[in-house]
Amino acid sequence: MKSLYSLLLTLIILVFAGGVYSQRIVDNSTRISGILKTTESTGDALSKGCYSVGQVRFLAGDTISIIGYEKCYPYGDMKAAPKAYYIAMYDAGSVFLPETSVVILGNLGNQFQEFSVQDFIQLERNTRGYFNEISARKAREKVEAHRIADSLVRQRMHFQDSLETIRQKKFEEYIKKCALKGIGVFSFGAVDASEYTEGSGVEMTFYNPTKKIVKYVHATVVGYNAVNDPVVESGKTSHTLKCIGPINPGEDGTYNFEYVWFTDIVETAKLTSIKVQYMDGTEKIISKPSEVIMPKALIKE
């Protein structure tokens, strides 16, 4: 009799345990997602009329993560047809969405009636854990992105510093070469004298790299047309322009001559020779001005 009682008790326990086990549908990895068929305004709770309240807005096509399921009886009338709602994750909280507006992804859509309270608790934990991991991963990725960006900025600054060091070194070499020649040319080019009259000129900037004061600079120039032929006026192809100083040591002077040619066909101009006169009466003649014209790479922007 006692053994029969024990056997009966064991069967009851097994049946009960099996019943409890059969109610558990959600495990530690279960997540349920859905897609909205319609645009919905929803909120944090259901009013007595079974309408959600709040201003959270979802658009048709939005994906949601479902953590619960609830039926609501309009105005508490248990005889009325209930309205079913899915409870979805929203930021750190949850909101209600009508069942009719949601399409469940997967094969769990017809099993919500069988979910136990423990299932929904586990589902909420899973979903929160999932979104927390996503947030943590995004935070890590953001930190890494900032780290990479900072590293790139430092590399770019180092590269720019290196380029500036190289530019400065080459600039100093250029100045030393110009000091031996007697003068440097920072810039030179043809300019349009006026948009209302025909005429072309030149603008040039000389730099004094010597320890003497420059009194005059005589610059001989030739103009060229669009097909790179010398422009001839009054039988001449070259013009010598007198630039009046003084240009002190370590300083520069800019000169603009507007009507060197009385025509607009001048596209470019070249320096063919430079004669420099110093205050002490000495002179320097530069027969190859291209050797003292500053390369564009040395110009600091």
Side-chain angles (χ1 to χ4, degrees):
M1 186 70 180
K2 183 177 181 181
S3 60
L4 182 61
Y5 174 78
S6 300
L7 179 60
L8 182 60
L9 180 60
T10 302
L11 288 174
I12 293 174
I13 292 173
L14 289 174
V15 171
F16 179 77
V20 171
Y21 179 79
S22 67
Q23 293 176 354
R24 298 303 305 274
I25 300 174
V26 175
D27 58 26
N28 291 338
S29 62
T30 304
R31 284 193 302 272
I32 301 175
S33 298
I35 295 180
L36 285 181
K37 296 187 292 185
T38 57
T39 296
E40 294 290 339
S41 294
T42 183
D44 300 326
L46 296 176
S47 67
K48 290 182 179 179
C50 286
Y51 293 99
S52 57
V53 295
Q55 300 299 320
V56 179
R57 188 170 179 83
F58 288 87
L59 300 178
D62 284 352
T63 301
I64 60 172
S65 187
I66 298 170
I67 60 174
Y69 181 83
E70 184 172 319
K71 288 188 176 180
C72 178
Y73 292 88
Y75 301 102
D77 186 359
M78 302 299 292
K79 295 181 181 180
K83 291 185 176 181
Y85 287 83
Y86 290 122
I87 306 173
M89 284 288 297
Y90 184 82
D91 289 338
S94 59
V95 292
F96 288 80
L97 290 165
E99 181 184 39
T100 53
S101 69
V102 178
V103 175
I104 299 297
L105 299 178
N107 59 356
L108 294 175
N110 59 352
Q111 295 183 358
F112 277 99
Q113 299 296 328
E114 303 174 23
F115 277 23
S116 66
V117 174
Q118 289 79 11
D119 284 323
F120 283 123
I121 291 175
Q122 184 63 54
L123 187 62
E124 182 175 5
R125 288 174 180 169
N126 293 349
T127 305
R128 289 188 185 278
Y130 173 68
F131 279 102
N132 288 341
E133 175 57 30
I134 291 178
S135 298
R137 185 170 69 246
K138 287 183 177 179
R140 291 194 297 270
E141 291 173 351
K142 186 176 181 181
V143 170
E144 179 64 11
H146 280 299
R147 187 192 67 77
I148 294 173
D150 290 342
S151 176
L152 291 175
V153 169
R154 288 193 298 270
Q155 291 180 28
R156 184 183 66 184
M157 293 176 64
H158 178 71
F159 181 67
Q160 289 175 340
D161 290 342
S162 299
L163 289 179
E164 176 57 23
T165 300
I166 294 172
R167 188 202 68 81
Q168 186 64 34
K169 183 179 180 180
K170 290 185 177 295
F171 179 79
E172 291 172 359
E173 293 173 354
Y174 161 79
I175 293 298
K176 288 179 181 179
K177 182 176 69 174
C178 291
L180 294 175
K181 298 289 184 179
I183 203 163
V185 182
F186 274 4
S187 64
F188 174 83
V191 294
D192 186 11
S194 172
E195 61 179 316
Y196 303 107
T197 60
E198 290 193 357
S200 303
V202 292
E203 184 176 85
M204 46 196 162
T205 300
F206 295 104
Y207 175 76
N208 182 5
T210 71
K211 295 181 179 180
K212 299 178 181 181
I213 299 174
V214 174
K215 185 177 183 180
Y216 298 114
V217 178
H218 302 270
T220 301
V221 300
V222 176
Y224 293 85
N225 59 23
V227 294
N228 208 33
D229 287 334
V231 175
V232 181
E233 280 189 340
S234 302
K236 298 193 306 180
T237 58
S238 64
H239 299 268
T240 298
L241 309 172
K242 185 176 183 179
C243 306
I244 301 173
I247 304 176
N248 293 317
E251 295 182 356
D252 59 73
T254 298
Y255 302 90
N256 192 317
F257 296 87
E258 293 183 343
Y259 288 94
V260 179
W261 303 273
F262 291 95
T263 177
D264 284 338
I265 67 171
V266 177
E267 295 288 332
T268 60
K270 293 181 181 179
L271 274 168
T272 58
S273 69
I274 303 173
K275 183 174 77 171
V276 186
Q277 291 180 263
Y278 300 97
M279 284 292 190
D280 63 1
T282 58
E283 295 182 351
K284 283 273 191 178
I285 295 178
I286 304 169
S287 58
K288 294 182 178 179
S290 59
E291 296 180 347
V292 296
I293 295 177
M294 179 188 290
K296 290 183 178 180
L298 299 185
I299 300 174
K300 188 174 183 180
E301 297 181 356

